[in-house]
Amino acid sequence: MQIRFGSRRKIQFTDKTHPAGGIVSVIIGVMALAALVTLCLVSSSVKGNADFLFGIYGLLVLVAGIVGFVMAARCYKKDEIYMATPAVGTVLNVTVILFCILIYVLGVV
């Protein structure tokens, strides 16, 4: 249903909502990206000689990215939702996953 005010402004009423899984995936993605940046900064401050716990934290960040991606991907199947939050969650979590894989591949070489 649309209501027009003049020729430029219109108000559109809809039943679409932001899915909870999409919002949670965005939150997970932001937190995982912040944790990844923090881990990289701390590791570089000790010239790459960080404790093995930083590697475990890195794996936890990777798992969080995968969980966030799965949550965002599940939202695409729902009807009557705004696609903005699942799309942002997908982009953030895929970025985290790719950077984690890149760091592990460069660490092996």
Side-chain angles (χ1 to χ4, degrees):
M1 174 184 199
Q2 293 181 357
I3 299 174
R4 288 192 175 262
F5 294 104
S7 63
R8 288 183 266 155
R9 245 175 79 191
K10 67 180 177 179
I11 299 174
Q12 185 171 358
F13 297 98
T14 180
D15 293 334
K16 290 184 177 183
T17 58
H18 290 284
I23 295 170
V24 172
S25 74
V26 169
I27 292 170
I28 289 173
V30 168
M31 291 175 60
L33 191 61
L36 184 63
V37 168
T38 303
L39 286 172
C40 289
L41 289 175
V42 170
S43 178
S44 67
S45 70
V46 293
K47 296 184 173 85
N49 294 324
D51 194 21
F52 75 95
L53 287 177
F54 286 96
I56 294 173
Y57 294 148
L59 288 175
L60 290 177
V61 168
L62 178 65
V63 169
I66 293 170
V67 168
F69 175 74
V70 169
M71 290 182 76
R74 285 186 181 175
C75 292
Y76 288 117
K77 296 178 183 177
K78 297 180 181 178
D79 293 331
E80 294 295 323
I81 62 167
Y82 290 114
M83 291 293 184
T85 51
V88 171
T90 301
V91 170
L92 282 172
N93 288 303
V94 166
T95 303
V96 167
I97 292 168
L98 289 177
F99 277 130
C100 283
I101 291 172
L102 180 71
I103 287 171
Y104 291 125
V105 168
L106 289 176
V108 170
V109 173

